[in-house]
Amino acid sequence: MAHPPAPTSEASASTSDHAGHDHGHAAGLLGERTELYFAIASGVFWLAGLLLGIFADLPESIGIGIFVAAIFFGGYYATIEAYEGVSSGRFEIDFLMIVAAAGAAALGKWEEAGLLLFLFSLGHALEHYAMARARKSISALAELAPATALLKTPDGGTSEVDVEELAIGDVVVVKPNSKIPADGVVISGNSAVDQAAITGESVPVDKIAVKNPDSTYVLADLPAEHRTFAGTINGSSVLEVRVLKPARDSTLAKLVTLVQEAETQKSPTQHLTDKFERYYVPSVLIVVGLLLLAFLVIDETFGQSFYRAMAVLVAASPCALAISTPSAVLAGIARAAQKGVLVKGGRPLEDLGSLTAIAFDKTGTLTEGKPKLTTVLPAEGVTRQELLATAVSVEELSDHPLAAAIVAGGREELGKVPASRASGLEALTARGIRAEYEGATVHIGNRRLLEEITGADIPAEINRQMTELETGGHTAMMVHRGDRYLGIISVMDVARESAKPTLAALRKLGIKRMVMLTGDNQRVANAVAKEIGITDPMGSLLPEDKVAAIQRLKDEEGRVAMIGDGVNDAPAMASSTVSVAMGAAGSDVALETADIALMADRLDNLPFAIGLSRAARRIIQQNLWISLGVVAILVPLTMLGIASLGPAVIAHEGSTMVVVVNALRLLGYRAKPALS
């Protein structure tokens, strides 16, 4: 299909059912807002009947006719949904409202029956509007992908095709200020691309072409500057992109599907309220039935007993309770998606904010995930440039990852490739490498290698510097040419720039324990932990050791989150209370395994996610207090006859609107400046 899948009717219905209302009939003669227009019409007729009854001397039959019109428009959708509920063996809120209105009309209280259904239908419509607004902020993702793409043809031209026709390996041309049609790799051109819709990044990301356009690439393994996502917006220059995923499997399509699934996932509080309602509604019906017979016991007429029973029925109907949690959950998921945080349902949304301990994978989560040249220490009488030129010339012959880091860092500092080139590279197992450079033999390696070739101990100063670097978590190597030491170079997987401020923000949020799990030795773990503020560094761990560590943390703290890349950390993430995947954009495994996915490779979105979770929990609790509080106050007052049907209607429906508006505040959630 040309676009990622739109929300399915099943998903929408399931989500709406969380609210206790299906709204499957909301689209009518007047479009999506038919229900709202009916509610307004009900209000107009009710107000007209009230004013004409006060200021005009109309026959009673005309006044009743006007209120009947108000009842018709206000009760139209509620009657349909009540019928469907009863047909399925469910006695839900709509049924209670229709019975209450019918009872009031039977007593001749046409005005109050009209008011009840007007306010109920208005609340119904506003609830529908609010939920639709929250859902639209998510489902709008489905509209981001363009319907067509400019496919590059063998003769160098282009032809316009549907994006569904694109196959892996095709090359598409992306014009300036147009949408990128597919997940892929940039093979020509450079431009700044707006990725906010996918990753939540507020600043456009610079894209450049890969050096080898004809090589085979995997989207998740590509650096950010080379990969593109369907639905993102190109900047001011033309790009050529080789397609790596078909439209149906794009990151955008998967994101839309996962968010739709998240909408249907109930939170712990929602499960609790559902269970409460299952017993509560029948109990209300039984109490109302008993109140109808009150005239047999106390000195009042059947009409008085009937009226009070209907007032209690209205007061006790749990409309606000039904919508209090799902409205907040949906608004929270929508707000998170706008920021590039995918939350898979109500449970992780609620759980994340309750944690006091978080475990982090080190490599790729707290660190950059790739080694960098960190230290260049020339020996006495040797220039920094001589040491770097020698090391770069030799290491560029090697395919070792550490060699690549030395070459990249050295060339960046030198500004150009050294004039002389090394030759005859030989790998010396567990010790280092050897090569010929400028007529002399160069050795780069550890103490064992240098002691072997010199037949002497390592010079004291060089040995001291090596020990100091190793204690700090660096991988240090000595460089020796001919008969002299040139100095020491070291590499290290350095901490992300955002790691230290992010952990500081988490401490301000009350996260007491921040644990780092890594396969690196404990010395490296301690060095990284000291630099960025980790409280519990745990090194030399195998994957099964990480799982055991998570279990211990759960025993000690009750709940723990695990932050990783969703691949090698999957077992530990599965064992945690809430699992969070880093850099999930483009990574199928990360998207599928985690409860929460940070779409951009940005650790600093974690405090936002935790803050949003806590805000959602607060709003859910507020909504529960409002909804249950109104019921707890109104039911006794109506049972004792202190509150009549009119005030019960206003208070009841007013509380429903209040909890909906309160939940919608999450759509505007912003992290506090100190935590941003």
Side-chain angles (χ1 to χ4, degrees):
M1 53 178 85
H3 296 277
T8 63
S9 58
E10 291 83 2
S12 299
S14 179
T15 306
S16 297
D17 286 344
H18 289 186
H21 304 308
D22 187 347
H23 297 296
H25 308 284
L29 294 174
L30 303 176
E32 289 183 357
R33 297 186 180 178
T34 302
E35 186 178 20
L36 180 60
Y37 297 146
F38 270 39
I40 293 171
S42 175
V44 169
F45 278 110
W46 179 83
L47 185 60
L50 180 68
L51 294 177
L52 290 173
I54 296 173
F55 298 109
D57 187 18
L58 293 176
E60 184 180 354
S61 59
I62 295 178
I64 292 174
I66 295 174
F67 284 125
V68 166
I71 291 169
F72 169 79
F73 284 107
Y76 180 79
Y77 286 110
T79 302
I80 293 173
E81 292 178 13
Y83 173 77
E84 291 181 349
V86 173
S87 299
S88 303
R90 303 190 313 271
F91 293 91
E92 296 180 337
I93 297 161
D94 302 274
F95 174 75
L96 300 182
M97 293 297 100
I98 293 301
V99 170
L107 290 170
K109 302 290 184 179
W110 300 99
E111 176 186 328
E112 290 175 330
L115 176 63
L116 168 61
L117 291 179
F118 159 56
L119 290 176
F120 181 68
S121 63
L122 181 61
H124 222 237
L126 291 178
E127 170 196 325
H128 185 203
Y129 169 76
M131 299 290 277
R133 180 183 167 193
R135 195 173 292 115
K136 279 180 181 177
S137 65
I138 298 172
S139 61
L141 289 171
E143 303 301 322
L144 290 174
T148 60
L150 287 178
L151 177 66
K152 192 170 183 180
T153 56
D155 60 4
T158 60
S159 64
E160 188 172 291
V161 299
D162 289 342
V163 293
E164 63 183 3
E165 296 177 17
L166 294 177
I168 295 174
D170 285 347
V171 175
V172 293
V173 177
V174 186
K175 292 184 176 180
N177 304 311
S178 63
K179 291 180 179 179
I180 295 175
D183 287 12
V185 55
V186 179
I187 61 171
S188 178
N190 61 81
S191 184
V193 174
D194 181 356
Q195 298 187 157
I198 302 296
T199 65
E201 293 167 288
S202 57
V203 178
V205 178
D206 290 330
K207 303 292 178 181
I208 58 175
V210 291
K211 292 182 179 178
N212 302 308
D214 296 325
S215 297
T216 301
Y217 295 99
V218 176
L219 186 73
D221 296 338
L222 282 169
E225 64 267 22
H226 298 318
R227 66 182 177 185
T228 66
F229 302 111
T232 55
I233 303 172
N234 186 24
S236 57
S237 301
V238 175
L239 293 177
E240 289 188 10
V241 175
R242 187 179 301 282
V243 178
L244 297 182
K245 287 186 177 182
R248 65 180 179 277
D249 293 331
S250 71
T251 301
L252 176 61
K254 286 184 177 293
L255 180 59
V256 172
T257 301
L258 288 168
V259 170
Q260 289 169 359
E261 292 173 357
E263 291 180 32
T264 68
Q265 302 297 316
K266 294 188 178 184
S267 71
T269 305
Q270 180 62 19
H271 281 296
L272 187 63
T273 55
D274 285 351
K275 186 178 294 185
F276 174 77
E277 285 178 41
R278 199 156 50 239
Y279 297 102
Y280 178 77
V281 172
S283 300
V284 169
L285 292 173
I286 292 171
V287 170
V288 168
L290 293 174
L291 288 173
L292 287 172
L293 303 175
F295 72 98
L296 298 175
V297 181
I298 61 177
D299 185 20
E300 67 180 16
T301 65
F302 170 73
Q304 290 172 318
S305 295
F306 192 90
Y307 183 87
R308 183 171 56 241
M310 293 304 102
V312 170
L313 185 59
V314 171
S317 296
C319 288
L321 179 65
I323 191 63
S324 59
T325 302
S327 58
V329 167
L330 187 57
I333 291 173
R335 177 65 187 110
Q338 292 170 354
K339 186 73 172 179
V341 179
L342 172 61
V343 182
K344 295 186 185 176
R347 184 190 64 77
L349 180 66
E350 285 196 42
D351 285 349
L352 185 63
S354 66
L355 302 174
T356 57
I358 299 178
F360 298 85
D361 171 53
K362 180 184 81 72
T363 306
T365 300
L366 293 173
T367 65
E368 295 288 349
K370 51 187 178 182
K372 289 187 176 181
L373 180 65
T374 52
T375 310
V376 179
L377 293 175
E380 186 176 351
V382 178
T383 66
R384 185 181 179 92
Q385 184 170 356
E386 181 185 359
L387 172 58
L388 270 178
T390 303
V392 168
S393 296
V394 172
E395 294 286 3
E396 69 179 353
L397 300 177
S398 172
D399 58 2
H400 194 282
L402 297 185
I406 294 168
V407 172
R411 283 181 175 175
E412 184 177 343
E413 182 171 333
L414 292 171
K416 59 181 180 179
V417 179
S420 301
R421 297 182 66 84
S423 61
L425 180 74
E426 181 182 354
L428 306 172
T429 306
R431 291 166 293 167
I433 56 175
R434 175 169 53 214
E436 297 299 318
Y437 177 68
E438 292 186 341
T441 302
V442 176
H443 291 85
I444 302 177
N446 56 22
R447 290 180 177 83
R448 178 183 167 189
L449 173 63
L450 272 299
E451 287 172 348
E452 283 181 6
I453 66 169
T454 62
D457 292 337
I458 306 298
E461 178 61 16
I462 291 179
N463 191 53
R464 184 192 66 78
Q465 291 173 332
M466 284 282 288
T467 301
E468 189 175 296
L469 287 169
E470 288 166 345
T471 302
H474 297 253
T475 300
M477 293 157 275
M478 291 172 282
V479 181
H480 186 275
R481 188 175 74 193
D483 58 359
R484 65 177 183 144
Y485 284 92
L486 297 185
I488 299 171
I489 55 176
S490 75
V491 296
M492 187 180 184
D493 182 12
V494 297
R496 291 173 180 265
E497 288 185 12
S498 60
K500 189 172 183 178
T502 296
L503 295 182
L506 292 175
R507 276 193 295 275
K508 291 181 181 178
L509 283 171
I511 305 299
K512 298 174 183 176
R513 295 186 67 183
M514 286 173 281
V515 181
M516 182 174 69
L517 308 178
T518 178
D520 289 341
N521 64 60
Q522 190 63 46
R523 187 168 55 192
V524 171
N526 291 339
V528 174
K530 183 178 180 181
E531 179 186 354
I532 63 177
I534 284 288
T535 60
D536 299 70
M538 299 183 185
S540 304
L541 300 180
L542 297 172
E544 56 267 31
D545 297 327
K546 292 184 179 181
V547 173
I550 292 293
Q551 291 295 347
R552 285 197 303 274
L553 282 169
K554 288 174 72 174
D555 292 340
E556 295 167 5
E557 298 290 333
R559 294 180 175 185
V560 63
M562 172 68 188
I563 321 295
D565 61 13
V567 183
N568 61 334
D569 301 310
M573 292 171 71
S575 300
S576 64
T577 310
V578 180
S579 56
V580 182
M582 283 284 296
S587 173
D588 293 341
V589 176
L591 277 174
E592 290 165 6
T593 58
D595 298 316
I596 296 172
L598 307 181
M599 299 303 293
D601 197 23
R602 292 185 54 181
L603 191 64
D604 54 357
N605 270 345
L606 186 57
F608 167 85
I610 292 175
L612 176 63
S613 171
R614 293 183 176 179
R617 285 168 60 87
R618 284 195 301 271
I619 283 178
I620 288 171
Q621 290 169 358
Q622 291 165 5
N623 283 355
L624 291 177
W625 279 109
I626 292 168
S627 55
L628 292 174
V630 168
V631 170
I633 293 170
L634 278 182
V635 169
L637 292 180
T638 51
M639 288 183 71
L640 296 172
I642 298 173
S644 62
L645 186 59
V649 167
I650 294 171
H652 177 272
E653 299 306 328
S655 67
T656 300
M657 296 180 199
V658 167
V659 299
V660 169
V661 172
N662 194 37
L664 284 180
R665 291 195 299 125
L666 284 172
L667 290 176
Y669 173 79
R670 295 285 188 277
K672 293 180 181 179
L675 304 178
S676 298

